[in-house]
Amino acid sequence: MKINDPERYFESLRKLERNVYMLGEMCANTVDHPVIRPSTNAVAETYNVGDEPEAEELLFAKSHLSGNKISRFTHIHQNTDDLIKKVLMLRLLGRRTATCFQRCGGMDGLNALYSVTCECDHDGGSSYHKRLKDYISYVQEENLVVDAAMTDVKGDRSLRPGDQSDPDMFLHIVDRSSEGIVVRGAKAHQTGALSSHEILVVPTTAMRESEDDYAVAFAVPANTDGITFIAGRQPSDTRKMENSPLDAGNPMYGSQEALIIFDDVFVPAERVFLALKHEYCGRLVDRFAAFHRQSYGGCKVGVGDVMIGAAQLVSNYQGTAKVSHVRDKITEMIHLNETMFCCGVACGARGEATSGGGYMVDVLLANTCKLNVTRFPFEIARLLQDIAGGLVVTMPSQKDFENPETAPYLEKYLKGTNSVPTIDRIKILKFIENMTVGCGAAAYLTESMHGAGSPQAQRIMISRLVDLDEKVKLAKRIALID
Ligand code: SF4
Ligand code: FE
């Protein structure tokens, strides 16, 4: 593993000269930009062994390709134990960062492509699987961060990719030769795009025969010619530029999205993992989505652990910890959080071997997991706001706590229990503000809703996967109906 600690990771990103825009300006160095740095810090934790006793076993795996020790984020799952350890790893990192650490999309995308390329080669004599394995070996040895770019901008939602008035609304092949392909389009909502060395592109939906140009999967370095990143905004993001960690709420960690534009980008043939094969897009999308829907049963649970800790802490600081309805609400938060975790673990435990030697999660349970995640973090956040009180959104700024004219008033009038310094109460309330209405909510709430697919996508999969006739037969048998 060439990049084997956070410092080397930061250095590797500094050297990657990418075309990035942020707040209307070119941003040559994203690593040291105050708005983006917390997001890079979160990814850097995936390179940090840390001090949790279980971290080493969770963060690393043995490559089935080289036999070497590798980051689990670059691993192809070999058994159900790997699938469960993935969830445990994501919970651990959610607990450390209280945000999205962005590296799971690449892991999930490579695992989905692993079985699909094997099936494609088996059916039609292509050599995508071998190319993919070479690429995975490279990613494992260098220990790179791979952003899996799936979501196209989609234009008019009532129209298919091939029917859009502007064909670039879905990323597609515009030219090809024996050397490679040229692609054009854009991928939206790319959390982690600015923290990644590589961009792995996969289709956003199943394609039809007439849409073969849209049936494309490939990987390119993030600094490839023709790629432009435009960073997204989040509520309260520029607080990170004010040099006031108190107001940032989670001053160390965050997550950053970007729109990635591919303006006639050349992809060499050895980096193309699927092209002009519409019939493989549906299964690729379903498998990638299932892997990532399982992931949410780990990462958001880890963040939930911090939310529950914040609920207990703020009640201790405000003198409400023994009130029965507060205790009930914290128990409810724990119940919701552990329910998501049960789903994440369960779809790993019921995983199965795939062609090519990988392992796949239980798809029905993965969709059930993610459907819960579209709701429970919102309820956890609601309960946390309920417990914390209205001060969450009425607190003065760090500068007011530092101004000698106002500081004594704030120290006196914003005090909670006597034994706790006022500033500690404010620190945890600022964290709660960040996580429920500030930029932390982008990762904890909006991402829970739409990341890995919006709730309706999971409902469609659940209804497609369940055999309702079989359940009807069960009911008739029990009720003695012929
Ligand atoms: Fe990983 Fe969770 Fe972020 Fe997805 S939302 S990239 S699973 S931390
Ligand atoms: Fe996500």
Side-chain angles (χ1 to χ4, degrees):
M1 286 182 293
K2 292 224 175 105
I3 305 171
N4 57 6
D5 62 26
E7 269 319 309
R8 282 200 187 105
Y9 166 62
F10 292 133
E11 268 322 298
S12 66
L13 276 190
R14 281 193 189 97
K15 284 188 200 135
L16 201 64
E17 286 179 16
R18 295 159 299 167
N19 206 14
V20 179
Y21 289 85
M22 170 99 204
L23 297 171
E25 290 175 359
M26 188 82 178
C27 177
N29 178 1
T30 60
V31 177
D32 299 307
H33 191 293
V35 173
I36 303 175
R37 179 55 182 258
S39 166
T40 320
N41 284 343
V43 180
E45 286 298 331
T46 70
Y47 288 95
N48 179 13
V49 182
D51 48 18
E52 303 91 342
E54 70 280 25
E56 168 91 24
E57 195 193 343
L58 298 181
L59 288 169
F60 300 101
K62 183 176 168 186
S63 169
H64 74 297
L65 297 171
S66 65
N68 294 337
K69 178 179 168 182
I70 53 165
S71 164
R72 189 172 295 282
F73 283 100
T74 67
H75 185 46
I76 299 300
H77 314 298
Q78 295 297 297
N79 44 49
T80 55
D81 190 47
D82 274 346
L83 290 169
I84 294 170
K85 279 191 177 138
K86 172 187 124 172
V87 172
L88 298 176
M89 169 178 76
L90 303 189
R91 184 170 188 173
L92 177 138
L93 290 169
R95 292 160 68 99
R96 268 195 209 166
T97 61
T99 189
C100 166
F101 33 88
Q102 306 150 48
R103 205 175 167 186
C104 328
M107 166 178 62
D108 294 335
L110 290 174
N111 272 279
L113 267 169
Y114 198 79
S115 58
V116 174
T117 52
C118 187
E119 289 162 19
C120 180
D121 290 1
H122 182 263
D123 296 347
S126 50
S127 54
Y128 294 126
H129 192 61
K130 157 90 176 63
R131 284 181 194 172
L132 183 74
K133 284 210 279 194
D134 290 345
Y135 177 68
I136 292 170
S137 297
Y138 165 70
V139 168
Q140 290 182 344
E141 293 315 308
E142 301 285 324
N143 198 7
L144 301 175
V145 179
V146 179
D147 172 67
M150 179 186 235
T151 309
D152 286 290
V153 291
K154 296 182 187 147
D156 183 339
R157 304 310 198 260
S158 70
L159 298 174
R160 299 269 325 155
D163 299 335
Q164 299 282 333
S165 58
D166 181 345
D168 302 341
M169 291 298 100
F170 289 75
L171 187 140
H172 62 127
I173 299 170
V174 293
D175 199 3
R176 62 182 195 269
S177 68
S178 57
E179 311 286 293
I181 57 173
V182 176
V183 297
R184 192 186 303 149
K187 294 286 187 179
H189 323 305
Q190 288 306 302
T191 318
L194 303 179
S195 310
S196 299
H197 306 101
E198 290 277 324
I199 311 294
L200 172 70
V201 168
V202 291
T204 208
T205 186
M207 298 292 170
R208 293 178 182 164
E209 195 169 354
S210 60
E211 294 164 343
D212 255 350
D213 285 343
Y214 296 87
V216 60
F218 61 87
V220 283
N223 60 350
T224 300
D225 276 354
I227 296 183
T228 300
F229 301 86
I230 306 174
R233 291 214 66 173
Q234 292 170 344
S236 76
D237 52 2
T238 43
R239 286 191 186 190
K240 296 170 195 163
M241 297 172 82
E242 294 170 6
N243 199 19
S244 52
L246 180 71
D247 292 338
N250 182 355
M252 281 290 292
Y253 302 109
S255 73
Q256 176 68 49
E257 281 77 29
L259 177 70
I260 314 179
I261 293 150
F262 296 78
D263 196 2
D264 291 357
V265 171
F266 173 70
V267 186
E270 67 270 18
R271 290 293 201 99
V272 177
F273 308 130
L274 192 75
L276 309 169
K277 297 264 190 191
H278 72 278
E279 59 273 44
Y280 295 93
C281 290
R283 68 184 89 168
L284 177 55
V285 170
D286 289 351
R287 287 179 206 174
F288 176 41
F291 277 124
H292 207 48
R293 288 171 192 170
Q294 177 204 28
S295 296
Y296 276 67
C299 73
K300 298 306 177 217
V301 179
V303 181
D305 288 330
V306 187
M307 301 288 277
I308 293 161
Q312 185 62 49
L313 194 59
V314 81
S315 335
N316 294 345
Y317 287 179
Q318 299 185 153
T320 56
K322 295 206 171 86
V323 177
S324 68
H325 76 88
V326 170
R327 288 165 62 167
D328 269 359
K329 283 167 187 161
I330 292 176
T331 305
E332 175 67 8
M333 291 166 81
I334 296 166
H335 163 72
L336 292 166
N337 208 40
E338 297 301 337
T339 303
M340 293 187 285
F341 182 57
C342 293
C343 292
V345 170
C347 48
R350 292 189 50 89
E352 288 186 355
T354 64
S355 60
Y359 251 70
M360 179 71 207
V361 292
D362 182 300
V363 178
L364 174 61
L365 295 187
N367 280 277
T368 306
C369 176
K370 176 65 200 346
L371 192 55
N372 282 337
V373 175
T374 63
R375 298 179 194 158
F376 295 179
F378 287 84
E379 183 62 6
I380 290 171
R382 188 186 72 79
L383 290 166
L384 180 54
Q385 277 208 346
D386 178 351
I387 290 167
L391 194 55
V392 164
V393 292
T394 61
M395 287 172 287
S397 71
Q398 175 169 337
K399 290 190 172 62
D400 296 305
F401 282 92
E402 289 166 351
N403 182 341
E405 299 293 322
T406 48
Y409 287 132
L410 297 178
E411 176 64 34
K412 175 182 165 76
Y413 288 111
L414 296 185
K415 194 157 188 66
T417 54
N418 239 340
S419 58
V420 175
T422 303
I423 196 67
D424 286 357
R425 178 185 182 212
I426 299 302
K427 276 184 185 169
I428 199 64
L429 286 166
K430 291 273 190 188
F431 169 74
I432 296 168
E433 177 196 29
N434 175 271
M435 293 302 290
T436 57
V437 291
C439 56
Y444 186 56
L445 298 179
T446 313
E447 210 175 61
S448 289
M449 178 70 82
H450 295 294
S454 309
Q456 189 58 18
Q458 287 108 66
R459 287 177 189 284
I460 290 168
M461 282 304 288
I462 288 170
S463 64
R464 206 199 283 169
L465 289 164
V466 157
D467 185 350
L468 266 182
D469 289 342
E470 183 251 359
K471 292 187 193 306
V472 166
K473 275 189 207 144
L474 294 177
K476 284 170 91 175
R477 189 177 144 266
I478 295 292
L480 303 177
I481 300 170
D482 283 339

